[in-house]
């Protein structure tokens, strides 16, 4: 049975993501992807106008799936537990494949407007998830906030800043210190007395 066009397109995107996780987006070549997927180079350019288009679509799909999986994982938790889960998701004790893929995107975003747009889109989506968690906690009376948007921005900036530091020098103790610092901030600005 012949593979459908959509199935082959999905296989190309999945193969690209697998290679991106293994090597980093900027280090993967068209040849490696064609060998991984078992297709000719012309197949890639039949479905994608150029390499960057393929990379952006594969990254977008993967990063959205990561956010969707996280959202599903926390859906039945309390707002406080959701916030803790988000912190742990942002600040793993050691680099993992997903974290490395985000790092690759950030590197590309510094020099390429298309990747910068994708990075900003994902930052906005994670900020929105953080805002939803905080609003849910406010609605349930677990959190209080006079300015939910400001607290969301502040907390998001702290998470991203500590994530950047841990990307450079990952350690269990550094991660714990970051989590403790952020917990202290949360106690000061969000927890009800």
């Amino acid at each position: 049975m012949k593979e459908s066009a959509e199935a082959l397109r999905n296989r190309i995107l999945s193969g690209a993501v697998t290679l991106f996780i293994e090597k980093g987006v900027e280090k993967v070549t068209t040849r490696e992807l064609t060998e991984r997927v078992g297709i000719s180079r012309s197949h890639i350019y039949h479905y994608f106008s150029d390499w960057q288009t393929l990379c952006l679509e594969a990254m977008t799909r993967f990063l959205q799936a990561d956010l969707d999986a996280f959202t599903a994982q926390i859906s039945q938790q309390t707002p406080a537990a959701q916030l803790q889960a988000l912190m742990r998701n942002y600040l793993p004790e050691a680099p993992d494949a997903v974290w490395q893929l985000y790092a690759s995107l950030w590197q590309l975003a510094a020099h390429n407007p298309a990747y910068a747009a994708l990075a900003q889109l994902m930052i906005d989506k994670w900020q929105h998830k953080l805002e939803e968690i905080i609003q849910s906690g406010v609605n349930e009376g677990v959190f209080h906030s006079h300015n939910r948007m400001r607290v969301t921005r502040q907390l998001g900036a702290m998470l991203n800043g500590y994530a950047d530091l841990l990307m450079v020098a990952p350690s269990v103790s550094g991660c714990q210190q970051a989590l403790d610092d952020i917990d202290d901030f949360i106690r000061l600005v969000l927890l009800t007395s």
Side-chain angles (χ1 to χ4, degrees):
M1 183 170 179
K2 186 175 178 180
E3 184 174 29
S4 73
E6 187 60 26
L8 179 55
R9 192 172 196 287
N10 287 333
R11 200 158 56 89
I12 293 169
L13 291 169
S14 294
V17 167
T18 300
L19 286 168
F20 295 164
I21 289 170
E22 288 174 12
K23 301 180 76 173
V25 178
E26 64 284 354
K27 294 179 183 168
V28 175
T29 66
T30 309
R31 171 177 274 184
E32 290 170 316
L33 179 57
T34 58
E35 289 173 2
R36 173 67 58 106
V37 179
I39 60 173
S40 69
R41 187 179 168 132
S42 64
H43 277 99
I44 289 177
Y45 294 109
H46 174 75
Y47 294 102
F48 304 95
S49 59
D50 56 39
W51 181 248
Q52 181 173 290
T53 300
L54 183 152
C55 293
L56 287 166
E57 188 169 335
M59 292 283 292
T60 301
R61 182 184 282 199
F62 177 81
L63 298 174
Q64 184 62 52
D66 181 47
L67 177 57
D68 293 345
F70 175 78
T71 299
Q73 173 193 334
I74 66 167
S75 66
Q76 300 301 312
Q77 296 178 356
T78 66
Q82 289 179 354
L83 190 52
Q84 288 296 313
L86 187 130
M87 289 167 44
R88 293 237 175 247
N89 188 66
Y90 256 80
L91 305 172
E93 293 178 344
D96 64 13
V98 175
W99 212 28
Q100 297 294 9
L101 195 53
Y102 276 98
S104 274
L105 173 59
W106 272 214
Q107 287 295 315
L108 292 165
H111 306 286
N112 183 306
Y115 287 104
L118 175 56
Q120 188 61 57
L121 175 67
M122 293 314 301
I123 289 168
D124 292 346
K125 287 183 176 197
W126 280 100
Q127 282 289 110
H128 182 70
K129 176 54 59 188
L130 177 57
E131 182 185 343
E132 285 177 349
I133 292 168
I134 291 170
Q135 184 60 54
S136 178
V138 169
N139 293 348
E140 292 183 19
V142 177
F143 300 149
H144 71 89
S145 176
H146 298 292
N147 191 332
R148 177 180 40 83
M149 295 299 291
R150 175 175 285 155
V151 170
T152 299
R153 286 191 307 272
Q154 291 169 330
L155 190 49
M158 289 178 74
L159 286 165
N160 283 309
Y162 279 117
D164 288 348
L165 289 172
L166 289 169
M167 223 173 274
V168 172
S171 71
V172 173
S173 62
C175 180
Q176 190 57 56
Q177 181 180 0
L179 291 169
D180 290 346
D181 289 351
I182 295 169
D183 273 337
D184 196 43
F185 175 79
I186 289 168
R187 275 192 297 280
L188 290 170
V189 299
L190 279 180
L191 293 181
T192 56
S193 303

